[in-house]
mmCIF file of all heavy atoms in Angstrom:
data_model
loop_
_atom_site.group_PDB
_atom_site.id
_atom_site.type_symbol
_atom_site.label_atom_id
_atom_site.label_comp_id
_atom_site.label_asym_id
_atom_site.label_seq_id
_atom_site.Cartn_x
_atom_site.Cartn_y
_atom_site.Cartn_z
ATOM 1 N N MET A 174 71.018 4.969 251.370
ATOM 2 C CA MET A 174 69.885 5.548 250.647
ATOM 3 C C MET A 174 69.559 4.661 249.439
ATOM 4 O O MET A 174 70.431 4.301 248.663
ATOM 5 C CB MET A 174 70.253 6.963 250.210
ATOM 6 C CG MET A 174 69.171 7.688 249.524
ATOM 7 S SD MET A 174 69.736 9.364 249.173
ATOM 8 C CE MET A 174 68.200 10.127 248.899
ATOM 9 N N ALA A 175 68.304 4.324 249.288
ATOM 10 C CA ALA A 175 67.863 3.446 248.209
ATOM 11 C C ALA A 175 67.840 4.196 246.882
ATOM 12 O O ALA A 175 67.510 5.382 246.822
ATOM 13 C CB ALA A 175 66.482 2.904 248.516
ATOM 14 N N TYR A 176 68.176 3.475 245.837
ATOM 15 C CA TYR A 176 68.146 4.042 244.492
ATOM 16 C C TYR A 176 66.702 4.135 244.016
ATOM 17 O O TYR A 176 65.941 3.182 244.113
ATOM 18 C CB TYR A 176 68.942 3.161 243.527
ATOM 19 C CG TYR A 176 68.774 3.556 242.086
ATOM 20 C CD1 TYR A 176 69.396 4.690 241.578
ATOM 21 C CD2 TYR A 176 67.963 2.825 241.239
ATOM 22 C CE1 TYR A 176 69.239 5.060 240.263
ATOM 23 C CE2 TYR A 176 67.790 3.181 239.918
ATOM 24 C CZ TYR A 176 68.439 4.303 239.437
ATOM 25 O OH TYR A 176 68.265 4.678 238.127
ATOM 26 N N GLU A 177 66.335 5.295 243.507
ATOM 27 C CA GLU A 177 65.006 5.478 242.931
ATOM 28 C C GLU A 177 65.191 5.831 241.462
ATOM 29 O O GLU A 177 65.835 6.825 241.136
ATOM 30 C CB GLU A 177 64.255 6.586 243.656
ATOM 31 C CG GLU A 177 63.894 6.213 245.076
ATOM 32 C CD GLU A 177 62.997 7.237 245.730
ATOM 33 O OE1 GLU A 177 62.193 7.878 245.025
ATOM 34 O OE2 GLU A 177 63.098 7.385 246.947
ATOM 35 N N PRO A 178 64.649 5.007 240.587
ATOM 36 C CA PRO A 178 64.800 5.293 239.157
ATOM 37 C C PRO A 178 64.077 6.578 238.790
ATOM 38 O O PRO A 178 63.145 6.990 239.479
ATOM 39 C CB PRO A 178 64.149 4.086 238.475
ATOM 40 C CG PRO A 178 63.264 3.495 239.499
ATOM 41 C CD PRO A 178 63.844 3.839 240.848
ATOM 42 N N PRO A 179 64.496 7.209 237.719
ATOM 43 C CA PRO A 179 63.835 8.444 237.293
ATOM 44 C C PRO A 179 62.360 8.178 236.974
ATOM 45 O O PRO A 179 61.979 7.099 236.550
ATOM 46 C CB PRO A 179 64.577 8.858 236.028
ATOM 47 C CG PRO A 179 65.741 7.959 235.901
ATOM 48 C CD PRO A 179 65.573 6.825 236.837
ATOM 49 N N VAL A 180 61.549 9.198 237.184
ATOM 50 C CA VAL A 180 60.108 9.101 236.916
ATOM 51 C C VAL A 180 59.858 9.552 235.486
ATOM 52 O O VAL A 180 60.398 10.557 235.036
ATOM 53 C CB VAL A 180 59.312 9.977 237.907
ATOM 54 C CG1 VAL A 180 57.836 9.982 237.569
ATOM 55 C CG2 VAL A 180 59.544 9.498 239.326
ATOM 56 N N GLU A 181 59.013 8.801 234.788
ATOM 57 C CA GLU A 181 58.648 9.163 233.429
ATOM 58 C C GLU A 181 57.175 9.560 233.400
ATOM 59 O O GLU A 181 56.327 8.868 233.956
ATOM 60 C CB GLU A 181 58.872 7.978 232.492
ATOM 61 C CG GLU A 181 58.566 8.300 231.053
ATOM 62 C CD GLU A 181 58.780 7.113 230.145
ATOM 63 O OE1 GLU A 181 57.842 6.296 230.025
ATOM 64 O OE2 GLU A 181 59.871 7.004 229.584
ATOM 65 N N CYS A 182 56.888 10.680 232.774
ATOM 66 C CA CYS A 182 55.499 11.130 232.650
ATOM 67 C C CYS A 182 54.755 10.181 231.715
ATOM 68 O O CYS A 182 55.206 9.931 230.597
ATOM 69 C CB CYS A 182 55.460 12.548 232.081
ATOM 70 S SG CYS A 182 53.778 13.125 231.739
ATOM 71 N N PRO A 183 53.618 9.653 232.150
ATOM 72 C CA PRO A 183 52.876 8.721 231.292
ATOM 73 C C PRO A 183 52.190 9.407 230.112
ATOM 74 O O PRO A 183 51.821 8.740 229.158
ATOM 75 C CB PRO A 183 51.839 8.116 232.246
ATOM 76 C CG PRO A 183 51.686 9.117 233.329
ATOM 77 C CD PRO A 183 53.006 9.808 233.463
ATOM 78 N N LEU A 184 52.059 10.723 230.141
ATOM 79 C CA LEU A 184 51.413 11.425 229.040
ATOM 80 C C LEU A 184 52.386 11.765 227.923
ATOM 81 O O LEU A 184 52.127 11.498 226.758
ATOM 82 C CB LEU A 184 50.755 12.721 229.537
ATOM 83 C CG LEU A 184 49.354 12.581 230.091
ATOM 84 C CD1 LEU A 184 49.362 11.909 231.434
ATOM 85 C CD2 LEU A 184 48.702 13.922 230.178
ATOM 86 N N CYS A 185 53.521 12.357 228.278
ATOM 87 C CA CYS A 185 54.460 12.824 227.250
ATOM 88 C C CYS A 185 55.754 12.017 227.205
ATOM 89 O O CYS A 185 56.617 12.272 226.375
ATOM 90 C CB CYS A 185 54.778 14.302 227.455
ATOM 91 S SG CYS A 185 55.693 14.680 228.975
ATOM 92 N N ARG A 186 55.903 11.076 228.124
ATOM 93 C CA ARG A 186 57.076 10.193 228.203
ATOM 94 C C ARG A 186 58.373 10.942 228.522
ATOM 95 O O ARG A 186 59.453 10.420 228.336
ATOM 96 C CB ARG A 186 57.261 9.376 226.917
ATOM 97 C CG ARG A 186 56.100 8.493 226.586
ATOM 98 C CD ARG A 186 55.962 7.436 227.630
ATOM 99 N NE ARG A 186 54.863 6.531 227.276
ATOM 100 C CZ ARG A 186 54.179 5.872 228.162
ATOM 101 N NH1 ARG A 186 54.454 5.985 229.425
ATOM 102 N NH2 ARG A 186 53.199 5.087 227.793
ATOM 103 N N GLU A 187 58.254 12.164 229.012
ATOM 104 C CA GLU A 187 59.434 12.925 229.423
ATOM 105 C C GLU A 187 59.966 12.352 230.740
ATOM 106 O O GLU A 187 59.203 12.050 231.651
ATOM 107 C CB GLU A 187 59.059 14.395 229.616
ATOM 108 C CG GLU A 187 60.215 15.262 230.067
ATOM 109 C CD GLU A 187 59.802 16.706 230.275
ATOM 110 O OE1 GLU A 187 58.878 17.180 229.586
ATOM 111 O OE2 GLU A 187 60.408 17.362 231.136
ATOM 112 N N THR A 188 61.278 12.181 230.806
ATOM 113 C CA THR A 188 61.903 11.752 232.051
ATOM 114 C C THR A 188 62.115 12.987 232.911
ATOM 115 O O THR A 188 62.725 13.951 232.473
ATOM 116 C CB THR A 188 63.250 11.058 231.778
ATOM 117 O OG1 THR A 188 63.004 9.915 230.956
ATOM 118 C CG2 THR A 188 63.903 10.603 233.069
ATOM 119 N N LEU A 189 61.587 12.943 234.124
ATOM 120 C CA LEU A 189 61.620 14.107 234.997
ATOM 121 C C LEU A 189 62.965 14.226 235.706
ATOM 122 O O LEU A 189 63.624 13.216 235.988
ATOM 123 C CB LEU A 189 60.500 14.024 236.034
ATOM 124 C CG LEU A 189 59.095 13.823 235.482
ATOM 125 C CD1 LEU A 189 58.092 13.810 236.618
ATOM 126 C CD2 LEU A 189 58.735 14.880 234.474
ATOM 127 N N GLU A 190 63.339 15.442 235.993
ATOM 128 C CA GLU A 190 64.536 15.692 236.797
ATOM 129 C C GLU A 190 64.322 15.092 238.179
ATOM 130 O O GLU A 190 63.181 14.970 238.647
ATOM 131 C CB GLU A 190 64.788 17.199 236.916
ATOM 132 C CG GLU A 190 65.060 17.885 235.589
ATOM 133 C CD GLU A 190 66.347 17.432 234.943
ATOM 134 O OE1 GLU A 190 67.311 17.117 235.672
ATOM 135 O OE2 GLU A 190 66.377 17.372 233.703
ATOM 136 N N LEU A 191 65.386 14.721 238.830
ATOM 137 C CA LEU A 191 65.285 14.063 240.127
ATOM 138 C C LEU A 191 64.605 14.918 241.190
ATOM 139 O O LEU A 191 64.000 14.395 242.118
ATOM 140 C CB LEU A 191 66.663 13.635 240.614
ATOM 141 C CG LEU A 191 67.339 12.560 239.751
ATOM 142 C CD1 LEU A 191 68.747 12.300 240.256
ATOM 143 C CD2 LEU A 191 66.519 11.290 239.729
ATOM 144 N N ASP A 192 64.682 16.252 241.053
ATOM 145 C CA ASP A 192 64.085 17.136 242.066
ATOM 146 C C ASP A 192 62.636 17.507 241.733
ATOM 147 O O ASP A 192 62.029 18.327 242.400
ATOM 148 C CB ASP A 192 64.924 18.396 242.236
ATOM 149 C CG ASP A 192 65.003 19.240 240.976
ATOM 150 O OD1 ASP A 192 64.729 18.712 239.878
ATOM 151 O OD2 ASP A 192 65.364 20.420 241.085
ATOM 152 N N ARG A 193 62.054 16.889 240.695
ATOM 153 C CA ARG A 193 60.689 17.192 240.286
ATOM 154 C C ARG A 193 59.759 16.031 240.558
ATOM 155 O O ARG A 193 60.114 14.875 240.342
ATOM 156 C CB ARG A 193 60.665 17.470 238.792
ATOM 157 C CG ARG A 193 60.038 18.803 238.564
ATOM 158 C CD ARG A 193 60.137 19.337 237.232
ATOM 159 N NE ARG A 193 58.836 19.979 237.044
ATOM 160 C CZ ARG A 193 58.283 20.186 235.913
ATOM 161 N NH1 ARG A 193 58.874 19.824 234.825
ATOM 162 N NH2 ARG A 193 57.117 20.763 235.854
ATOM 163 N N THR A 194 58.552 16.344 241.010
ATOM 164 C CA THR A 194 57.569 15.284 241.235
ATOM 165 C C THR A 194 56.658 15.172 240.020
ATOM 166 O O THR A 194 56.495 16.134 239.249
ATOM 167 C CB THR A 194 56.702 15.563 242.478
ATOM 168 O OG1 THR A 194 55.918 16.736 242.234
ATOM 169 C CG2 THR A 194 57.552 15.740 243.725
ATOM 170 N N LEU A 195 56.052 14.016 239.876
ATOM 171 C CA LEU A 195 55.120 13.825 238.769
ATOM 172 C C LEU A 195 53.936 14.778 238.907
ATOM 173 O O LEU A 195 53.471 15.350 237.928
ATOM 174 C CB LEU A 195 54.642 12.365 238.724
ATOM 175 C CG LEU A 195 53.657 12.025 237.614
ATOM 176 C CD1 LEU A 195 54.229 12.346 236.235
ATOM 177 C CD2 LEU A 195 53.264 10.561 237.705
ATOM 178 N N GLU A 196 53.474 14.963 240.131
ATOM 179 C CA GLU A 196 52.347 15.877 240.363
ATOM 180 C C GLU A 196 52.674 17.289 239.882
ATOM 181 O O GLU A 196 51.878 17.929 239.186
ATOM 182 C CB GLU A 196 51.983 15.896 241.839
ATOM 183 C CG GLU A 196 50.802 16.789 242.147
ATOM 184 C CD GLU A 196 50.435 16.794 243.623
ATOM 185 O OE1 GLU A 196 51.105 16.123 244.427
ATOM 186 O OE2 GLU A 196 49.472 17.490 243.961
ATOM 187 N N ASP A 197 53.850 17.796 240.238
ATOM 188 C CA ASP A 197 54.254 19.132 239.791
ATOM 189 C C ASP A 197 54.341 19.198 238.271
ATOM 190 O O ASP A 197 53.917 20.177 237.650
ATOM 191 C CB ASP A 197 55.604 19.521 240.394
ATOM 192 C CG ASP A 197 55.518 19.836 241.869
ATOM 193 O OD1 ASP A 197 54.401 20.102 242.376
ATOM 194 O OD2 ASP A 197 56.577 19.821 242.537
ATOM 195 N N HIS A 198 54.896 18.166 237.668
ATOM 196 C CA HIS A 198 55.024 18.132 236.209
ATOM 197 C C HIS A 198 53.648 18.148 235.543
ATOM 198 O O HIS A 198 53.411 18.933 234.624
ATOM 199 C CB HIS A 198 55.808 16.888 235.776
ATOM 200 C CG HIS A 198 55.797 16.678 234.300
ATOM 201 N ND1 HIS A 198 56.603 17.397 233.441
ATOM 202 C CD2 HIS A 198 55.058 15.838 233.523
ATOM 203 C CE1 HIS A 198 56.367 17.008 232.199
ATOM 204 N NE2 HIS A 198 55.430 16.059 232.228
ATOM 205 N N LEU A 199 52.743 17.280 236.019
ATOM 206 C CA LEU A 199 51.413 17.211 235.414
ATOM 207 C C LEU A 199 50.665 18.525 235.551
ATOM 208 O O LEU A 199 50.053 19.009 234.587
ATOM 209 C CB LEU A 199 50.602 16.084 236.053
ATOM 210 C CG LEU A 199 51.074 14.663 235.746
ATOM 211 C CD1 LEU A 199 50.309 13.664 236.589
ATOM 212 C CD2 LEU A 199 50.951 14.347 234.270
ATOM 213 N N ALA A 200 50.726 19.135 236.736
ATOM 214 C CA ALA A 200 50.013 20.396 236.976
ATOM 215 C C ALA A 200 50.624 21.552 236.198
ATOM 216 O O ALA A 200 49.904 22.441 235.739
ATOM 217 C CB ALA A 200 50.005 20.710 238.468
ATOM 218 N N GLY A 201 51.941 21.543 236.024
ATOM 219 C CA GLY A 201 52.608 22.663 235.383
ATOM 220 C C GLY A 201 52.771 22.536 233.885
ATOM 221 O O GLY A 201 52.981 23.532 233.189
ATOM 222 N N THR A 202 52.669 21.322 233.351
ATOM 223 C CA THR A 202 52.963 21.099 231.937
ATOM 224 C C THR A 202 51.729 20.728 231.126
ATOM 225 O O THR A 202 51.614 21.104 229.969
ATOM 226 C CB THR A 202 54.025 19.983 231.793
ATOM 227 O OG1 THR A 202 55.160 20.341 232.570
ATOM 228 C CG2 THR A 202 54.440 19.793 230.358
ATOM 229 N N HIS A 203 50.833 19.980 231.716
ATOM 230 C CA HIS A 203 49.683 19.464 230.974
ATOM 231 C C HIS A 203 48.395 20.157 231.412
ATOM 232 O O HIS A 203 48.264 20.566 232.551
ATOM 233 C CB HIS A 203 49.562 17.951 231.189
ATOM 234 C CG HIS A 203 50.766 17.200 230.710
ATOM 235 N ND1 HIS A 203 51.059 17.019 229.381
ATOM 236 C CD2 HIS A 203 51.779 16.607 231.392
ATOM 237 C CE1 HIS A 203 52.180 16.336 229.275
ATOM 238 N NE2 HIS A 203 52.650 16.080 230.482
ATOM 239 N N THR A 204 47.452 20.236 230.474
ATOM 240 C CA THR A 204 46.154 20.825 230.793
ATOM 241 C C THR A 204 45.323 19.821 231.589
ATOM 242 O O THR A 204 45.596 18.615 231.578
ATOM 243 C CB THR A 204 45.384 21.194 229.514
ATOM 244 O OG1 THR A 204 45.075 19.991 228.798
ATOM 245 C CG2 THR A 204 46.183 22.148 228.634
ATOM 246 N N GLN A 205 44.299 20.337 232.242
ATOM 247 C CA GLN A 205 43.389 19.455 232.976
ATOM 248 C C GLN A 205 42.740 18.452 232.024
ATOM 249 O O GLN A 205 42.539 17.297 232.375
ATOM 250 C CB GLN A 205 42.317 20.270 233.688
ATOM 251 C CG GLN A 205 42.823 21.033 234.871
ATOM 252 C CD GLN A 205 41.709 21.812 235.568
ATOM 253 O OE1 GLN A 205 40.591 21.910 235.096
ATOM 254 N NE2 GLN A 205 42.050 22.375 236.714
ATOM 255 N N ARG A 206 42.432 18.890 230.833
ATOM 256 C CA ARG A 206 41.797 18.002 229.851
ATOM 257 C C ARG A 206 42.743 16.868 229.452
ATOM 258 O O ARG A 206 42.309 15.723 229.309
ATOM 259 C CB ARG A 206 41.367 18.776 228.608
ATOM 260 C CG ARG A 206 40.676 17.861 227.596
ATOM 261 C CD ARG A 206 40.018 18.632 226.481
ATOM 262 N NE ARG A 206 38.929 19.463 226.915
ATOM 263 C CZ ARG A 206 37.686 19.031 227.138
ATOM 264 N NH1 ARG A 206 37.402 17.772 226.993
ATOM 265 N NH2 ARG A 206 36.751 19.869 227.510
ATOM 266 N N GLU A 207 44.022 17.160 229.270
ATOM 267 C CA GLU A 207 44.982 16.109 228.925
ATOM 268 C C GLU A 207 45.059 15.054 230.025
ATOM 269 O O GLU A 207 45.030 13.848 229.747
ATOM 270 C CB GLU A 207 46.374 16.696 228.702
ATOM 271 C CG GLU A 207 46.537 17.485 227.434
ATOM 272 C CD GLU A 207 47.884 18.178 227.358
ATOM 273 O OE1 GLU A 207 48.400 18.671 228.383
ATOM 274 O OE2 GLU A 207 48.431 18.212 226.234
ATOM 275 N N VAL A 208 45.153 15.520 231.260
ATOM 276 C CA VAL A 208 45.243 14.594 232.390
ATOM 277 C C VAL A 208 43.940 13.806 232.526
ATOM 278 O O VAL A 208 43.957 12.580 232.702
ATOM 279 C CB VAL A 208 45.584 15.345 233.695
ATOM 280 C CG1 VAL A 208 45.572 14.390 234.881
ATOM 281 C CG2 VAL A 208 46.951 16.022 233.576
ATOM 282 N N ALA A 209 42.808 14.483 232.396
ATOM 283 C CA ALA A 209 41.505 13.810 232.504
ATOM 284 C C ALA A 209 41.332 12.774 231.393
ATOM 285 O O ALA A 209 40.851 11.669 231.645
ATOM 286 C CB ALA A 209 40.376 14.834 232.462
ATOM 287 N N SER A 210 41.720 13.107 230.183
ATOM 288 C CA SER A 210 41.601 12.169 229.067
ATOM 289 C C SER A 210 42.457 10.936 229.295
ATOM 290 O O SER A 210 42.022 9.804 229.023
ATOM 291 C CB SER A 210 42.019 12.834 227.751
ATOM 292 O OG SER A 210 41.125 13.847 227.413
ATOM 293 N N TYR A 211 43.655 11.142 229.803
ATOM 294 C CA TYR A 211 44.540 10.013 230.088
ATOM 295 C C TYR A 211 43.937 9.109 231.156
ATOM 296 O O TYR A 211 43.891 7.886 230.999
ATOM 297 C CB TYR A 211 45.918 10.524 230.529
ATOM 298 C CG TYR A 211 46.830 9.406 230.942
ATOM 299 C CD1 TYR A 211 47.416 8.584 229.991
ATOM 300 C CD2 TYR A 211 47.091 9.157 232.280
ATOM 301 C CE1 TYR A 211 48.238 7.532 230.368
ATOM 302 C CE2 TYR A 211 47.911 8.110 232.667
ATOM 303 C CZ TYR A 211 48.481 7.302 231.704
ATOM 304 O OH TYR A 211 49.293 6.265 232.091
ATOM 305 N N LEU A 212 43.444 9.707 232.242
ATOM 306 C CA LEU A 212 42.848 8.912 233.316
ATOM 307 C C LEU A 212 41.597 8.176 232.838
ATOM 308 O O LEU A 212 41.375 7.012 233.188
ATOM 309 C CB LEU A 212 42.521 9.798 234.512
ATOM 310 C CG LEU A 212 43.734 10.340 235.263
ATOM 311 C CD1 LEU A 212 43.302 11.327 236.334
ATOM 312 C CD2 LEU A 212 44.548 9.212 235.859
ATOM 313 N N ALA A 213 40.789 8.829 232.028
ATOM 314 C CA ALA A 213 39.582 8.193 231.507
ATOM 315 C C ALA A 213 39.946 7.006 230.614
ATOM 316 O O ALA A 213 39.305 5.953 230.679
ATOM 317 C CB ALA A 213 38.740 9.202 230.734
ATOM 318 N N SER A 214 40.982 7.157 229.796
ATOM 319 C CA SER A 214 41.374 6.051 228.919
ATOM 320 C C SER A 214 41.883 4.865 229.734
ATOM 321 O O SER A 214 41.631 3.713 229.387
ATOM 322 C CB SER A 214 42.422 6.496 227.906
ATOM 323 O OG SER A 214 43.673 6.720 228.529
ATOM 324 N N LEU A 215 42.586 5.128 230.822
ATOM 325 C CA LEU A 215 43.035 4.043 231.696
ATOM 326 C C LEU A 215 41.847 3.335 232.323
ATOM 327 O O LEU A 215 41.796 2.105 232.375
ATOM 328 C CB LEU A 215 43.935 4.579 232.810
ATOM 329 C CG LEU A 215 45.350 4.955 232.461
ATOM 330 C CD1 LEU A 215 46.069 5.474 233.696
ATOM 331 C CD2 LEU A 215 46.101 3.790 231.864
ATOM 332 N N HIS A 216 40.898 4.104 232.789
ATOM 333 C CA HIS A 216 39.713 3.537 233.435
ATOM 334 C C HIS A 216 38.922 2.674 232.452
ATOM 335 O O HIS A 216 38.457 1.588 232.794
ATOM 336 C CB HIS A 216 38.834 4.647 233.999
ATOM 337 C CG HIS A 216 37.593 4.150 234.642
ATOM 338 N ND1 HIS A 216 37.593 3.510 235.857
ATOM 339 C CD2 HIS A 216 36.309 4.182 234.228
ATOM 340 C CE1 HIS A 216 36.362 3.167 236.163
ATOM 341 N NE2 HIS A 216 35.562 3.563 235.193
ATOM 342 N N GLU A 217 38.784 3.157 231.229
ATOM 343 C CA GLU A 217 38.018 2.415 230.224
ATOM 344 C C GLU A 217 38.695 1.096 229.871
ATOM 345 O O GLU A 217 38.037 0.120 229.565
ATOM 346 C CB GLU A 217 37.827 3.265 228.967
ATOM 347 C CG GLU A 217 36.869 4.407 229.196
ATOM 348 C CD GLU A 217 36.834 5.395 228.051
ATOM 349 O OE1 GLU A 217 37.637 5.266 227.098
ATOM 350 O OE2 GLU A 217 36.016 6.318 228.122
ATOM 351 N N ARG A 218 40.029 1.053 229.926
ATOM 352 C CA ARG A 218 40.757 -0.175 229.599
ATOM 353 C C ARG A 218 40.634 -1.230 230.680
ATOM 354 O O ARG A 218 40.688 -2.405 230.386
ATOM 355 C CB ARG A 218 42.242 0.120 229.384
ATOM 356 C CG ARG A 218 42.516 0.604 227.984
ATOM 357 C CD ARG A 218 44.000 0.658 227.761
ATOM 358 N NE ARG A 218 44.338 2.066 227.697
ATOM 359 C CZ ARG A 218 45.515 2.579 227.963
ATOM 360 N NH1 ARG A 218 46.491 1.816 228.351
ATOM 361 N NH2 ARG A 218 45.718 3.849 227.854
ATOM 362 N N VAL A 219 40.485 -0.821 231.934
ATOM 363 C CA VAL A 219 40.474 -1.792 233.029
ATOM 364 C C VAL A 219 39.081 -2.085 233.581
ATOM 365 O O VAL A 219 38.924 -3.003 234.353
ATOM 366 C CB VAL A 219 41.387 -1.342 234.208
ATOM 367 C CG1 VAL A 219 42.824 -1.238 233.744
ATOM 368 C CG2 VAL A 219 40.914 -0.066 234.822
ATOM 369 N N THR A 220 38.084 -1.352 233.170
ATOM 370 C CA THR A 220 36.732 -1.575 233.653
ATOM 371 C C THR A 220 36.112 -2.747 232.897
ATOM 372 O O THR A 220 36.002 -2.705 231.675
ATOM 373 C CB THR A 220 35.858 -0.317 233.436
ATOM 374 O OG1 THR A 220 36.469 0.762 234.131
ATOM 375 C CG2 THR A 220 34.459 -0.537 233.985
ATOM 376 N N PRO A 221 35.738 -3.797 233.612
ATOM 377 C CA PRO A 221 35.094 -4.926 232.928
ATOM 378 C C PRO A 221 33.761 -4.491 232.336
ATOM 379 O O PRO A 221 33.028 -3.718 232.923
ATOM 380 C CB PRO A 221 34.883 -5.951 234.038
ATOM 381 C CG PRO A 221 35.420 -5.380 235.285
ATOM 382 C CD PRO A 221 35.855 -3.980 235.024
ATOM 383 N N ARG A 222 33.480 -4.977 231.159
ATOM 384 C CA ARG A 222 32.225 -4.643 230.492
ATOM 385 C C ARG A 222 31.332 -5.873 230.453
ATOM 386 O O ARG A 222 31.797 -6.995 230.385
ATOM 387 C CB ARG A 222 32.489 -4.140 229.089
ATOM 388 C CG ARG A 222 33.287 -2.864 229.117
ATOM 389 C CD ARG A 222 33.319 -2.238 227.753
ATOM 390 N NE ARG A 222 34.111 -1.031 227.836
ATOM 391 C CZ ARG A 222 33.663 0.155 227.538
ATOM 392 N NH1 ARG A 222 32.457 0.301 227.110
ATOM 393 N NH2 ARG A 222 34.438 1.199 227.628
ATOM 394 N N SER A 223 30.078 -5.612 230.423
ATOM 395 C CA SER A 223 29.096 -6.681 230.335
ATOM 396 C C SER A 223 29.210 -7.366 228.974
ATOM 397 O O SER A 223 29.496 -6.713 227.967
ATOM 398 C CB SER A 223 27.696 -6.110 230.529
ATOM 399 O OG SER A 223 26.730 -7.088 230.221
ATOM 400 N N VAL A 224 28.940 -8.636 228.918
ATOM 401 C CA VAL A 224 28.974 -9.369 227.669
ATOM 402 C C VAL A 224 27.913 -8.847 226.702
ATOM 403 O O VAL A 224 28.092 -8.853 225.498
ATOM 404 C CB VAL A 224 28.775 -10.879 227.919
ATOM 405 C CG1 VAL A 224 28.673 -11.655 226.638
ATOM 406 C CG2 VAL A 224 29.893 -11.410 228.800
ATOM 407 N N SER A 225 26.841 -8.305 227.233
ATOM 408 C CA SER A 225 25.759 -7.802 226.384
ATOM 409 C C SER A 225 26.077 -6.461 225.745
ATOM 410 O O SER A 225 25.351 -6.023 224.874
ATOM 411 C CB SER A 225 24.463 -7.684 227.189
ATOM 412 O OG SER A 225 24.613 -6.745 228.226
ATOM 413 N N ASP A 226 27.168 -5.798 226.176
ATOM 414 C CA ASP A 226 27.512 -4.484 225.610
ATOM 415 C C ASP A 226 28.057 -4.581 224.219
ATOM 416 O O ASP A 226 28.715 -5.283 223.709
ATOM 417 C CB ASP A 226 28.526 -3.748 226.477
ATOM 418 C CG ASP A 226 27.884 -3.204 227.749
ATOM 419 O OD1 ASP A 226 26.651 -3.197 227.819
ATOM 420 O OD2 ASP A 226 28.626 -2.794 228.640
#
């Protein structure tokens, strides 16, 4: 069996228990707005912008 390192929540940096999924943690611990804000900030960082902006 391959070793899988513990998962860390990108929002709160909590290390999840081995029997917990990130999806369950996000849905059960964080609000939709928190998750949406995090995803939007990631998108804004990686989306190329026009030079004229």
Side-chain angles (χ1 to χ4, degrees):
M174 183 176 198
Y176 171 75
E177 292 187 31
V180 175
E181 182 181 85
C182 174
L184 274 73
C185 66
R186 300 294 183 207
E187 179 181 330
T188 300
L189 306 182
E190 298 294 327
L191 295 175
D192 62 341
R193 235 170 142 205
T194 65
L195 180 57
E196 182 180 1
D197 288 342
H198 171 78
L199 291 172
T202 305
H203 299 288
T204 65
Q205 288 181 352
R206 181 169 295 279
E207 288 173 322
V208 176
S210 294
Y211 175 75
L212 291 174
S214 71
L215 284 179
H216 179 73
E217 289 170 354
R218 277 189 250 156
V219 298
T220 301
R222 297 191 181 239
S223 170
V224 175
S225 63
D226 286 347

